[in-house]
Amino acid sequence: MLTLLELLKDGRFHSGEALGAALGVSRSAVWKQLQLLEAELNLPIHKVRGKGYQLASPLVFLNAEQIALIAPSLAWPIHIYDSIDSTNAEALRLVNATCTTPFLVLAEQQMAGRGRRGRKWISPFAQNIYYSLVLRIQDGLRQLEGLSLVVGLAVIQALRESGVQGAVLKWPNDVLVGQKKIAGILLELVGDPADICHVVIGIGINVNMQRADEVDQQWTSMQLETGGAVDRNILVALVGLQLQRYLDRHKVSGFAALQAEWEQNHGWQGRSVSLIAGVSRVDGVVLGVDRQGALRLDVDGVEKTYSGGELSLRLRDDS
């Protein structure tokens, strides 16, 4: 099936006869494979009598060599999969298999992509970025302070370089354009955070996705925002370069050195919000973040700080 997709990826029309000859199968076998492509990979295919078959949009597959050419300063080995449960899950498996760090896991498709609080991350084939970078942390908890916020800064800079000018951060792990989500971040730890551990930096970016009926929140993509298809290999390279830059600063100076920059890019700075933790709710006004990346809220005239992976921030109706 993927061999057929390789023939169709240029976005041009190909006759059933030509496709069958290239694959060594009958035209009816080609037709069955095309139906599987549409059903399993959710790729629209145009069928025109007398012309043949054409992907609705051309595809550019992820390619480690191309990424390395664009960003030669990145020395991370890259593992690319056609389809996988999730890049974070595979990254953790590779850590357990004592794969040398740092390394990067990418996939064309995730069958069980995950967001924060166990939410499903919709992951159509060859349309978005599913990205997991694994780092070894050996200098204690200081290297973890505000780390997901630092990653957010790297992501919005890469998006802006790619033409998405309206990208802003939402504490703690989302990137928005307006009120629509365009990217999310999920960090996972294995080992002892106070000694030596590994952190998986998971990043999902909606790149060329134009339709996703399963998504249960407002969303957008880079293509929807810019009006043109984005080369995902270039984007992966840009994200890597920005991550390298911000992670180096964070390692040397801690999150405190990036606190002001993060607040300048926080789309909900000064807004009235509700902070949800299970059935509990706190209403307040966003003041910013502290030197460890915790959220600072004005709650009835008193400044309070909040942190934790199970917290959800929402705009109040009167904001």
Side-chain angles (χ1 to χ4, degrees):
M1 191 167 64
L2 291 178
T3 305
L4 174 58
L5 190 57
E6 187 73 29
L7 296 171
L8 291 169
K9 70 178 185 179
D10 59 9
R12 299 175 181 173
F13 276 106
H14 297 264
S15 70
E17 183 178 1
L19 292 172
L23 296 171
V25 300
S26 67
R27 291 178 65 177
S28 63
V30 169
W31 172 250
K32 289 178 182 178
Q33 287 195 36
L34 288 167
Q35 289 180 306
L36 284 173
L37 278 179
E38 285 193 292
E40 294 186 12
L41 301 185
N42 195 28
L43 291 173
I45 298 174
H46 298 152
K47 310 168 188 69
V48 178
R49 185 180 297 274
K51 285 188 173 182
Y53 308 100
Q54 175 194 48
L55 284 177
S57 302
L59 293 179
V60 177
F61 295 126
L62 295 168
N63 184 285
E65 289 76 19
Q66 289 187 30
I67 295 167
L69 285 173
I70 298 165
S73 65
L74 297 178
W76 307 328
I78 303 176
H79 305 261
I80 299 178
Y81 299 85
D82 290 327
S83 184
I84 201 170
D85 51 355
S86 85
T87 57
N88 266 30
E90 176 63 10
L92 290 169
R93 287 191 288 266
L94 291 173
V95 168
N96 290 331
T98 65
C99 189
T100 302
T101 57
F103 63 84
L104 175 61
V105 177
L106 302 171
E108 297 287 3
Q109 181 184 40
Q110 296 183 125
M111 304 307 294
R114 294 173 289 122
R116 289 180 65 240
R117 303 192 308 281
R119 284 182 173 174
K120 183 178 180 181
W121 186 272
I122 304 302
S123 310
F125 186 86
Q127 294 183 40
N128 299 331
I129 292 295
Y130 319 117
Y131 181 115
S132 295
L133 175 66
V134 180
L135 303 176
R136 185 173 187 266
I137 304 295
Q138 58 187 14
D139 296 330
L141 292 171
R142 183 174 176 275
Q143 266 193 269
L144 299 172
E145 289 179 351
L147 185 57
S148 66
L149 280 64
V150 175
V151 175
L153 283 171
V155 171
I156 63 166
Q157 293 301 338
L159 291 174
R160 289 169 182 172
E161 281 189 72
S162 303
V164 182
Q165 299 304 319
V168 297
L169 298 167
K170 174 200 165 189
W171 188 90
N173 293 326
D174 290 343
V175 182
L176 309 178
V177 177
Q179 301 306 319
K180 299 178 180 180
K181 187 168 180 175
I182 194 169
I185 297 156
L186 176 65
L187 268 56
E188 297 186 90
L189 293 175
V190 58
D192 183 357
D195 184 19
I196 296 177
C197 67
H198 290 88
V199 59
V200 180
I201 297 173
I203 301 171
I205 303 176
N206 298 332
V207 184
N208 293 317
M209 185 167 70
Q210 299 186 69
R211 179 178 176 181
D213 297 333
E214 298 176 71
V215 180
D216 61 357
Q217 59 183 305
Q218 286 189 304
W219 66 274
T220 188
S221 70
M222 296 176 69
Q223 182 166 357
L224 290 174
E225 294 300 321
T226 64
V230 175
D231 186 323
R232 293 176 303 137
N233 289 305
I234 295 175
L235 180 61
V236 167
L238 291 177
V239 169
L241 290 170
Q242 290 292 347
L243 270 175
Q244 187 177 61
R245 182 166 73 93
Y246 276 99
L247 290 173
D248 285 348
R249 290 178 61 190
H250 180 253
K251 185 174 183 179
V252 171
S253 305
F255 179 71
L258 296 163
Q259 177 184 356
E261 182 179 352
W262 194 92
E263 291 180 339
Q264 289 166 7
N265 287 283
H266 190 205
W268 291 8
Q269 197 75 4
R271 304 289 295 274
S272 297
V273 298
S274 295
L275 188 65
I276 311 295
V279 297
S280 301
R281 164 177 162 167
V282 175
D283 292 336
V285 176
V286 176
L287 298 174
V289 292
D290 68 11
R291 295 167 67 89
Q292 287 75 45
L295 182 69
R296 297 165 47 234
L297 287 184
D298 180 332
V299 181
D300 297 327
V302 178
E303 179 175 325
K304 297 184 179 182
T305 59
Y306 301 88
S307 63
E310 301 304 312
L311 298 176
S312 176
L313 195 64
R314 301 175 188 173
L315 284 177
R316 292 232 309 269
D317 292 340
D318 58 350
S319 179

